[in-house]
Amino acid sequence: MPGLRILPKLVIPLLLAACDQPTTISTLPSHLREAPTQVQVEEHSLIMETYVGRDFMPISPPDGKPMVAVLRIRTVDGQPFPSGVTAERVSVVQGDQVWTAPTIKEHDSQEPHTLEVIAREGPKWQPGTKVDVVVYLRDSAGREHLLRAPDQTIQRSD
């Protein structure tokens, strides 16, 4: 049946278009720059430390590997990190561009007051550039909280 050969050519692009892309680059939504640098979630004050960087070691491509963002969200008072709070995604802001990606918890933190997550496969923005990092936290009641680490420098590992 000759018509069946056309079907995959129509269906495959539609299926690919329907899939959510894990990362996006978009223009800056204004609320990201207004996110606080300390936030109260489930009776805990939380702050964030970050590492944003690109790998240029000899095994990397000549133009380096894509950006990685490592986030360490911690309680200010050293109390254990609230178990009902998760970090769902991160936005890294450079100028008017925003890279947004899901975060992954690859391992438990060795510090009970800290949640560590990572986002991979970011853009190849220039090392030395300043960015703001905004994490989207979700509490046990399902409410979203934004937390920002401003003026982070994209690092370079050689």
Side-chain angles (χ1 to χ4, degrees), residues 2 10 15 20 22-23 25 28 43 52 58 63 65 72 74 90 92 100-101 107 110 117 121 126-127 129 141 145:
L10 295 173
L15 289 174
D20 287 339
T23 64
I25 297 200
L28 176 65
E43 301 180 19
V52 182
D63 65 341
K65 290 185 180 174
R72 298 185 72 218
R74 64 180 180 85
V90 63
V92 179
T100 301
H107 58 82
Q110 296 195 11
V117 293
E121 299 300 320
Q126 201 63 265
T129 304
H145 305 267

Side-chain angles (χ1 to χ4, degrees), residues 61-131:
D63 65 341
K65 290 185 180 174
M67 191 169 63
V68 172
V70 179
L71 315 178
R72 298 185 72 218
I73 303 118
R74 64 180 180 85
T75 59
V76 173
D77 62 5
Q79 293 296 311
F81 195 85
S83 62
V85 177
T86 59
E88 296 187 332
R89 66 190 187 281
V90 63
S91 288
V92 179
V93 180
Q94 177 198 1
D96 287 336
Q97 289 191 314
V98 180
W99 169 57
T100 301
T103 58
I104 300 166
K105 182 180 174 184
E106 293 185 343
H107 58 82
D108 288 331
S109 172
Q110 296 195 11
E111 300 171 339
H113 66 284
T114 303
L115 171 67
E116 293 182 24
V117 293
I118 189 167
R120 299 183 183 280
E121 299 300 320
K124 292 187 173 183
W125 290 340
Q126 201 63 265
T129 304
K130 295 281 190 186
V131 295

